[in-house]
Amino acid sequence: MDGNSIPFWSHLIFSPSQMLSFLIEEKKYDPVLAKWMRDYTYYSDDLNRWLWRDVWQSFQSIGWNIMEENHQGKKPMSQEIKEQLQQKYGDIDDFSICGAKIIVRKSSRSN
């Protein structure tokens, strides 16, 4: 635990009901607050829930070329967390990336 109420990657590993149980039983939050935290984490429209593969596929689908990619931060993860993420999602994303700067160029298509 790193002091965060919701540990890194737990929103990707836990189901909503597991998250609620964790917040109430392990973190000892009031059930009303824990439910709000769970709902915000999983159901709020305020959060971006795209995986990196979704970002890349969106650029490819509209025909944009990635000119520069710079990962702005990586969060180290334990082997156990990495294995849990790979088991759930496959080995297709780098979940350690916390942010990135991506410069794209619109492709010129001949019509």
Side-chain angles (χ1 to χ4, degrees), residues 30-63:
D30 175 89
V32 173
L33 177 59
K35 184 180 181 305
W36 180 88
M37 292 169 71
R38 185 271 321 261
D39 290 350
Y40 185 79
T41 300
Y42 289 97
Y43 308 121
S44 170
D45 290 336
D46 296 334
L47 298 178
N48 174 357
R49 292 180 181 80
W50 282 30
L51 300 174
W52 283 111
R53 69 173 176 238
D54 300 327
V55 173
W56 300 132
Q57 287 173 352
S58 69
F59 287 141
Q60 291 171 343
S61 71
I62 59 176

mmCIF file of all heavy atoms in Angstrom, residues 30-63:
data_model
loop_
_atom_site.group_PDB
_atom_site.id
_atom_site.type_symbol
_atom_site.label_atom_id
_atom_site.label_comp_id
_atom_site.label_asym_id
_atom_site.label_seq_id
_atom_site.Cartn_x
_atom_site.Cartn_y
_atom_site.Cartn_z
ATOM 1 N N ASP A 30 -16.628 4.627 5.662
ATOM 2 C CA ASP A 30 -18.070 4.564 5.863
ATOM 3 C C ASP A 30 -18.687 4.002 4.584
ATOM 4 O O ASP A 30 -18.281 4.386 3.478
ATOM 5 C CB ASP A 30 -18.593 5.988 6.135
ATOM 6 C CG ASP A 30 -20.093 6.029 6.243
ATOM 7 O OD1 ASP A 30 -20.590 5.849 7.361
ATOM 8 O OD2 ASP A 30 -20.753 6.237 5.202
ATOM 9 N N PRO A 31 -19.655 3.097 4.688
ATOM 10 C CA PRO A 31 -20.238 2.489 3.489
ATOM 11 C C PRO A 31 -20.792 3.490 2.470
ATOM 12 O O PRO A 31 -20.695 3.263 1.269
ATOM 13 C CB PRO A 31 -21.342 1.589 4.042
ATOM 14 C CG PRO A 31 -20.862 1.231 5.413
ATOM 15 C CD PRO A 31 -20.156 2.470 5.917
ATOM 16 N N VAL A 32 -21.354 4.605 2.938
ATOM 17 C CA VAL A 32 -21.897 5.601 2.006
ATOM 18 C C VAL A 32 -20.760 6.246 1.204
ATOM 19 O O VAL A 32 -20.850 6.393 -0.015
ATOM 20 C CB VAL A 32 -22.718 6.674 2.760
ATOM 21 C CG1 VAL A 32 -23.138 7.799 1.824
ATOM 22 C CG2 VAL A 32 -23.937 6.042 3.427
ATOM 23 N N LEU A 33 -19.672 6.607 1.879
ATOM 24 C CA LEU A 33 -18.515 7.185 1.191
ATOM 25 C C LEU A 33 -17.871 6.148 0.281
ATOM 26 O O LEU A 33 -17.501 6.453 -0.863
ATOM 27 C CB LEU A 33 -17.496 7.717 2.194
ATOM 28 C CG LEU A 33 -16.207 8.286 1.596
ATOM 29 C CD1 LEU A 33 -16.500 9.447 0.646
ATOM 30 C CD2 LEU A 33 -15.258 8.711 2.711
ATOM 31 N N ALA A 34 -17.747 4.920 0.766
ATOM 32 C CA ALA A 34 -17.145 3.855 -0.042
ATOM 33 C C ALA A 34 -17.946 3.618 -1.316
ATOM 34 O O ALA A 34 -17.372 3.438 -2.387
ATOM 35 C CB ALA A 34 -17.046 2.568 0.777
ATOM 36 N N LYS A 35 -19.264 3.652 -1.220
ATOM 37 C CA LYS A 35 -20.110 3.465 -2.406
ATOM 38 C C LYS A 35 -19.888 4.613 -3.384
ATOM 39 O O LYS A 35 -19.787 4.400 -4.588
ATOM 40 C CB LYS A 35 -21.582 3.362 -2.013
ATOM 41 C CG LYS A 35 -22.485 3.074 -3.194
ATOM 42 C CD LYS A 35 -23.938 2.970 -2.759
ATOM 43 C CE LYS A 35 -24.859 2.650 -3.900
ATOM 44 N NZ LYS A 35 -24.795 3.539 -5.034
ATOM 45 N N TRP A 36 -19.802 5.854 -2.869
ATOM 46 C CA TRP A 36 -19.561 7.000 -3.741
ATOM 47 C C TRP A 36 -18.211 6.849 -4.453
ATOM 48 O O TRP A 36 -18.106 7.084 -5.663
ATOM 49 C CB TRP A 36 -19.572 8.306 -2.936
ATOM 50 C CG TRP A 36 -19.323 9.502 -3.805
ATOM 51 C CD1 TRP A 36 -20.250 10.234 -4.482
ATOM 52 C CD2 TRP A 36 -18.043 10.070 -4.127
ATOM 53 N NE1 TRP A 36 -19.623 11.231 -5.206
ATOM 54 C CE2 TRP A 36 -18.272 11.151 -5.001
ATOM 55 C CE3 TRP A 36 -16.733 9.774 -3.760
ATOM 56 C CZ2 TRP A 36 -17.245 11.931 -5.505
ATOM 57 C CZ3 TRP A 36 -15.706 10.556 -4.271
ATOM 58 C CH2 TRP A 36 -15.974 11.622 -5.128
ATOM 59 N N MET A 37 -17.169 6.447 -3.714
ATOM 60 C CA MET A 37 -15.833 6.262 -4.307
ATOM 61 C C MET A 37 -15.862 5.177 -5.374
ATOM 62 O O MET A 37 -15.294 5.333 -6.446
ATOM 63 C CB MET A 37 -14.820 5.907 -3.213
ATOM 64 C CG MET A 37 -14.553 7.043 -2.249
ATOM 65 S SD MET A 37 -13.624 6.526 -0.786
ATOM 66 C CE MET A 37 -12.021 6.243 -1.516
ATOM 67 N N ARG A 38 -16.540 4.072 -5.091
ATOM 68 C CA ARG A 38 -16.659 2.983 -6.068
ATOM 69 C C ARG A 38 -17.395 3.452 -7.311
ATOM 70 O O ARG A 38 -16.954 3.213 -8.441
ATOM 71 C CB ARG A 38 -17.396 1.816 -5.407
ATOM 72 C CG ARG A 38 -17.533 0.517 -6.215
ATOM 73 C CD ARG A 38 -18.746 0.382 -7.106
ATOM 74 N NE ARG A 38 -19.983 0.884 -6.614
ATOM 75 C CZ ARG A 38 -20.942 0.149 -6.057
ATOM 76 N NH1 ARG A 38 -20.783 -1.138 -5.882
ATOM 77 N NH2 ARG A 38 -22.081 0.718 -5.698
ATOM 78 N N ASP A 39 -18.526 4.148 -7.103
ATOM 79 C CA ASP A 39 -19.322 4.610 -8.236
ATOM 80 C C ASP A 39 -18.549 5.616 -9.092
ATOM 81 O O ASP A 39 -18.607 5.575 -10.320
ATOM 82 C CB ASP A 39 -20.640 5.219 -7.763
ATOM 83 C CG ASP A 39 -21.602 4.184 -7.202
ATOM 84 O OD1 ASP A 39 -21.332 2.968 -7.348
ATOM 85 O OD2 ASP A 39 -22.613 4.588 -6.595
ATOM 86 N N TYR A 40 -17.814 6.520 -8.445
ATOM 87 C CA TYR A 40 -17.020 7.494 -9.190
ATOM 88 C C TYR A 40 -15.943 6.780 -10.003
ATOM 89 O O TYR A 40 -15.722 7.096 -11.175
ATOM 90 C CB TYR A 40 -16.386 8.510 -8.241
ATOM 91 C CG TYR A 40 -15.646 9.603 -8.979
ATOM 92 C CD1 TYR A 40 -16.358 10.655 -9.551
ATOM 93 C CD2 TYR A 40 -14.269 9.572 -9.120
ATOM 94 C CE1 TYR A 40 -15.692 11.657 -10.254
ATOM 95 C CE2 TYR A 40 -13.604 10.564 -9.809
ATOM 96 C CZ TYR A 40 -14.319 11.607 -10.380
ATOM 97 O OH TYR A 40 -13.667 12.579 -11.075
ATOM 98 N N THR A 41 -15.294 5.807 -9.393
ATOM 99 C CA THR A 41 -14.212 5.085 -10.051
ATOM 100 C C THR A 41 -14.693 4.306 -11.268
ATOM 101 O O THR A 41 -14.043 4.302 -12.309
ATOM 102 C CB THR A 41 -13.535 4.118 -9.057
ATOM 103 O OG1 THR A 41 -13.022 4.889 -7.965
ATOM 104 C CG2 THR A 41 -12.406 3.346 -9.712
ATOM 105 N N TYR A 42 -15.847 3.666 -11.166
ATOM 106 C CA TYR A 42 -16.291 2.768 -12.236
ATOM 107 C C TYR A 42 -17.366 3.347 -13.163
ATOM 108 O O TYR A 42 -17.482 2.897 -14.300
ATOM 109 C CB TYR A 42 -16.816 1.457 -11.634
ATOM 110 C CG TYR A 42 -15.722 0.601 -11.061
ATOM 111 C CD1 TYR A 42 -15.444 0.625 -9.709
ATOM 112 C CD2 TYR A 42 -14.943 -0.209 -11.879
ATOM 113 C CE1 TYR A 42 -14.434 -0.158 -9.180
ATOM 114 C CE2 TYR A 42 -13.932 -0.995 -11.367
ATOM 115 C CZ TYR A 42 -13.679 -0.957 -10.001
ATOM 116 O OH TYR A 42 -12.677 -1.717 -9.483
ATOM 117 N N TYR A 43 -18.132 4.311 -12.692
ATOM 118 C CA TYR A 43 -19.300 4.717 -13.474
ATOM 119 C C TYR A 43 -19.349 6.205 -13.842
ATOM 120 O O TYR A 43 -20.201 6.599 -14.629
ATOM 121 C CB TYR A 43 -20.590 4.356 -12.720
ATOM 122 C CG TYR A 43 -20.625 2.910 -12.273
ATOM 123 C CD1 TYR A 43 -20.754 2.588 -10.929
ATOM 124 C CD2 TYR A 43 -20.510 1.859 -13.184
ATOM 125 C CE1 TYR A 43 -20.781 1.266 -10.509
ATOM 126 C CE2 TYR A 43 -20.529 0.542 -12.775
ATOM 127 C CZ TYR A 43 -20.664 0.246 -11.437
ATOM 128 O OH TYR A 43 -20.676 -1.053 -11.016
ATOM 129 N N SER A 44 -18.474 7.027 -13.303
ATOM 130 C CA SER A 44 -18.514 8.449 -13.571
ATOM 131 C C SER A 44 -18.103 8.755 -15.007
ATOM 132 O O SER A 44 -17.185 8.136 -15.554
ATOM 133 C CB SER A 44 -17.578 9.190 -12.614
ATOM 134 O OG SER A 44 -17.428 10.528 -13.013
ATOM 135 N N ASP A 45 -18.755 9.735 -15.605
ATOM 136 C CA ASP A 45 -18.382 10.189 -16.946
ATOM 137 C C ASP A 45 -17.159 11.107 -16.909
ATOM 138 O O ASP A 45 -16.648 11.497 -17.953
ATOM 139 C CB ASP A 45 -19.545 10.940 -17.596
ATOM 140 C CG ASP A 45 -20.700 10.022 -17.953
ATOM 141 O OD1 ASP A 45 -20.467 8.805 -18.134
ATOM 142 O OD2 ASP A 45 -21.839 10.506 -18.039
ATOM 143 N N ASP A 46 -16.687 11.457 -15.715
ATOM 144 C CA ASP A 46 -15.558 12.377 -15.570
ATOM 145 C C ASP A 46 -14.205 11.728 -15.818
ATOM 146 O O ASP A 46 -13.209 12.427 -15.969
ATOM 147 C CB ASP A 46 -15.539 12.977 -14.161
ATOM 148 C CG ASP A 46 -16.758 13.838 -13.882
ATOM 149 O OD1 ASP A 46 -17.344 14.368 -14.846
ATOM 150 O OD2 ASP A 46 -17.120 13.975 -12.708
ATOM 151 N N LEU A 47 -14.146 10.405 -15.809
ATOM 152 C CA LEU A 47 -12.861 9.721 -15.918
ATOM 153 C C LEU A 47 -12.667 9.109 -17.301
ATOM 154 O O LEU A 47 -13.597 8.577 -17.887
ATOM 155 C CB LEU A 47 -12.758 8.611 -14.863
ATOM 156 C CG LEU A 47 -12.814 9.065 -13.410
ATOM 157 C CD1 LEU A 47 -12.760 7.859 -12.482
ATOM 158 C CD2 LEU A 47 -11.684 10.019 -13.092
ATOM 159 N N ASN A 48 -11.441 9.177 -17.779
ATOM 160 C CA ASN A 48 -11.064 8.545 -19.037
ATOM 161 C C ASN A 48 -10.727 7.085 -18.737
ATOM 162 O O ASN A 48 -9.844 6.801 -17.947
ATOM 163 C CB ASN A 48 -9.845 9.263 -19.615
ATOM 164 C CG ASN A 48 -9.305 8.589 -20.851
ATOM 165 O OD1 ASN A 48 -9.787 7.547 -21.276
ATOM 166 N ND2 ASN A 48 -8.287 9.184 -21.425
ATOM 167 N N ARG A 49 -11.412 6.173 -19.354
ATOM 168 C CA ARG A 49 -11.184 4.755 -19.099
ATOM 169 C C ARG A 49 -10.587 4.028 -20.306
ATOM 170 O O ARG A 49 -10.683 2.830 -20.422
ATOM 171 C CB ARG A 49 -12.496 4.095 -18.684
ATOM 172 C CG ARG A 49 -12.954 4.578 -17.328
ATOM 173 C CD ARG A 49 -14.253 3.937 -16.905
ATOM 174 N NE ARG A 49 -14.656 4.438 -15.620
ATOM 175 C CZ ARG A 49 -15.261 5.595 -15.425
ATOM 176 N NH1 ARG A 49 -15.536 6.368 -16.447
ATOM 177 N NH2 ARG A 49 -15.597 5.996 -14.219
ATOM 178 N N TRP A 50 -9.968 4.768 -21.196
ATOM 179 C CA TRP A 50 -9.351 4.147 -22.361
ATOM 180 C C TRP A 50 -8.063 3.455 -21.963
ATOM 181 O O TRP A 50 -7.279 3.972 -21.172
ATOM 182 C CB TRP A 50 -9.032 5.194 -23.409
ATOM 183 C CG TRP A 50 -10.201 5.637 -24.218
ATOM 184 C CD1 TRP A 50 -11.508 5.696 -23.836
ATOM 185 C CD2 TRP A 50 -10.158 6.100 -25.559
ATOM 186 N NE1 TRP A 50 -12.269 6.181 -24.859
ATOM 187 C CE2 TRP A 50 -11.463 6.431 -25.924
ATOM 188 C CE3 TRP A 50 -9.139 6.277 -26.469
ATOM 189 C CZ2 TRP A 50 -11.781 6.921 -27.179
ATOM 190 C CZ3 TRP A 50 -9.451 6.769 -27.714
ATOM 191 C CH2 TRP A 50 -10.759 7.081 -28.066
ATOM 192 N N LEU A 51 -7.817 2.311 -22.566
ATOM 193 C CA LEU A 51 -6.526 1.652 -22.459
ATOM 194 C C LEU A 51 -5.647 2.195 -23.580
ATOM 195 O O LEU A 51 -6.142 2.776 -24.549
ATOM 196 C CB LEU A 51 -6.696 0.139 -22.596
ATOM 197 C CG LEU A 51 -7.585 -0.530 -21.549
ATOM 198 C CD1 LEU A 51 -7.794 -1.998 -21.891
ATOM 199 C CD2 LEU A 51 -7.009 -0.379 -20.157
ATOM 200 N N TRP A 52 -4.321 2.012 -23.464
ATOM 201 C CA TRP A 52 -3.432 2.516 -24.515
ATOM 202 C C TRP A 52 -3.774 1.933 -25.871
ATOM 203 O O TRP A 52 -3.708 2.614 -26.883
ATOM 204 C CB TRP A 52 -1.965 2.238 -24.166
ATOM 205 C CG TRP A 52 -1.468 3.192 -23.145
ATOM 206 C CD1 TRP A 52 -1.143 2.916 -21.854
ATOM 207 C CD2 TRP A 52 -1.289 4.608 -23.300
ATOM 208 N NE1 TRP A 52 -0.768 4.069 -21.197
ATOM 209 C CE2 TRP A 52 -0.850 5.119 -22.064
ATOM 210 C CE3 TRP A 52 -1.458 5.487 -24.360
ATOM 211 C CZ2 TRP A 52 -0.566 6.463 -21.863
ATOM 212 C CZ3 TRP A 52 -1.184 6.832 -24.159
ATOM 213 C CH2 TRP A 52 -0.750 7.302 -22.927
ATOM 214 N N ARG A 53 -4.172 0.669 -25.909
ATOM 215 C CA ARG A 53 -4.526 0.070 -27.205
ATOM 216 C C ARG A 53 -5.705 0.802 -27.837
ATOM 217 O O ARG A 53 -5.780 0.936 -29.040
ATOM 218 C CB ARG A 53 -4.816 -1.422 -27.044
ATOM 219 C CG ARG A 53 -6.079 -1.704 -26.268
ATOM 220 C CD ARG A 53 -6.425 -3.187 -26.273
ATOM 221 N NE ARG A 53 -7.582 -3.405 -25.445
ATOM 222 C CZ ARG A 53 -7.611 -4.198 -24.404
ATOM 223 N NH1 ARG A 53 -6.549 -4.879 -24.061
ATOM 224 N NH2 ARG A 53 -8.704 -4.332 -23.706
ATOM 225 N N ASP A 54 -6.632 1.306 -27.012
ATOM 226 C CA ASP A 54 -7.768 2.071 -27.534
ATOM 227 C C ASP A 54 -7.302 3.384 -28.156
ATOM 228 O O ASP A 54 -7.807 3.801 -29.202
ATOM 229 C CB ASP A 54 -8.780 2.367 -26.427
ATOM 230 C CG ASP A 54 -9.360 1.121 -25.787
ATOM 231 O OD1 ASP A 54 -9.525 0.115 -26.499
ATOM 232 O OD2 ASP A 54 -9.648 1.162 -24.573
ATOM 233 N N VAL A 55 -6.343 4.029 -27.499
ATOM 234 C CA VAL A 55 -5.802 5.291 -28.024
ATOM 235 C C VAL A 55 -5.150 5.055 -29.384
ATOM 236 O O VAL A 55 -5.432 5.746 -30.358
ATOM 237 C CB VAL A 55 -4.784 5.908 -27.030
ATOM 238 C CG1 VAL A 55 -4.090 7.116 -27.646
ATOM 239 C CG2 VAL A 55 -5.463 6.271 -25.721
ATOM 240 N N TRP A 56 -4.271 4.044 -29.468
ATOM 241 C CA TRP A 56 -3.578 3.756 -30.727
ATOM 242 C C TRP A 56 -4.565 3.357 -31.825
ATOM 243 O O TRP A 56 -4.431 3.792 -32.963
ATOM 244 C CB TRP A 56 -2.539 2.649 -30.556
ATOM 245 C CG TRP A 56 -1.469 2.971 -29.560
ATOM 246 C CD1 TRP A 56 -1.030 2.163 -28.558
ATOM 247 C CD2 TRP A 56 -0.708 4.183 -29.433
ATOM 248 N NE1 TRP A 56 -0.054 2.799 -27.825
ATOM 249 C CE2 TRP A 56 0.154 4.034 -28.342
ATOM 250 C CE3 TRP A 56 -0.692 5.380 -30.131
ATOM 251 C CZ2 TRP A 56 1.039 5.029 -27.937
ATOM 252 C CZ3 TRP A 56 0.178 6.382 -29.732
ATOM 253 C CH2 TRP A 56 1.026 6.196 -28.660
ATOM 254 N N GLN A 57 -5.542 2.531 -31.478
ATOM 255 C CA GLN A 57 -6.524 2.110 -32.482
ATOM 256 C C GLN A 57 -7.342 3.295 -32.985
ATOM 257 O O GLN A 57 -7.688 3.348 -34.163
ATOM 258 C CB GLN A 57 -7.436 1.026 -31.916
ATOM 259 C CG GLN A 57 -6.745 -0.310 -31.773
ATOM 260 C CD GLN A 57 -7.598 -1.353 -31.065
ATOM 261 O OE1 GLN A 57 -8.665 -1.078 -30.533
ATOM 262 N NE2 GLN A 57 -7.099 -2.584 -31.050
ATOM 263 N N SER A 58 -7.627 4.249 -32.118
ATOM 264 C CA SER A 58 -8.387 5.418 -32.568
ATOM 265 C C SER A 58 -7.575 6.243 -33.567
ATOM 266 O O SER A 58 -8.117 6.723 -34.561
ATOM 267 C CB SER A 58 -8.841 6.276 -31.389
ATOM 268 O OG SER A 58 -7.752 6.908 -30.767
ATOM 269 N N PHE A 59 -6.267 6.414 -33.307
ATOM 270 C CA PHE A 59 -5.417 7.131 -34.263
ATOM 271 C C PHE A 59 -5.358 6.391 -35.593
ATOM 272 O O PHE A 59 -5.437 6.992 -36.658
ATOM 273 C CB PHE A 59 -4.002 7.320 -33.716
ATOM 274 C CG PHE A 59 -3.885 8.337 -32.614
ATOM 275 C CD1 PHE A 59 -3.051 8.107 -31.537
ATOM 276 C CD2 PHE A 59 -4.595 9.518 -32.644
ATOM 277 C CE1 PHE A 59 -2.929 9.032 -30.516
ATOM 278 C CE2 PHE A 59 -4.492 10.456 -31.631
ATOM 279 C CZ PHE A 59 -3.652 10.207 -30.563
ATOM 280 N N GLN A 60 -5.210 5.086 -35.545
ATOM 281 C CA GLN A 60 -5.131 4.286 -36.764
ATOM 282 C C GLN A 60 -6.445 4.329 -37.541
ATOM 283 O O GLN A 60 -6.447 4.411 -38.770
ATOM 284 C CB GLN A 60 -4.760 2.847 -36.436
ATOM 285 C CG GLN A 60 -3.345 2.707 -35.934
ATOM 286 C CD GLN A 60 -3.048 1.314 -35.405
ATOM 287 O OE1 GLN A 60 -3.942 0.541 -35.115
ATOM 288 N NE2 GLN A 60 -1.762 1.003 -35.280
ATOM 289 N N SER A 61 -7.557 4.288 -36.831
ATOM 290 C CA SER A 61 -8.858 4.238 -37.509
ATOM 291 C C SER A 61 -9.176 5.529 -38.261
ATOM 292 O O SER A 61 -9.910 5.509 -39.239
ATOM 293 C CB SER A 61 -9.975 3.914 -36.519
ATOM 294 O OG SER A 61 -10.225 5.013 -35.658
ATOM 295 N N ILE A 62 -8.619 6.649 -37.812
ATOM 296 C CA ILE A 62 -8.862 7.909 -38.516
ATOM 297 C C ILE A 62 -7.703 8.267 -39.448
ATOM 298 O O ILE A 62 -7.702 9.338 -40.053
ATOM 299 C CB ILE A 62 -9.169 9.066 -37.542
ATOM 300 C CG1 ILE A 62 -8.019 9.295 -36.564
ATOM 301 C CG2 ILE A 62 -10.478 8.828 -36.819
ATOM 302 C CD1 ILE A 62 -8.217 10.491 -35.634
ATOM 303 N N GLY A 63 -6.708 7.373 -39.524
ATOM 304 C CA GLY A 63 -5.626 7.568 -40.479
ATOM 305 C C GLY A 63 -4.577 8.572 -40.063
ATOM 306 O O GLY A 63 -3.930 9.174 -40.917
#
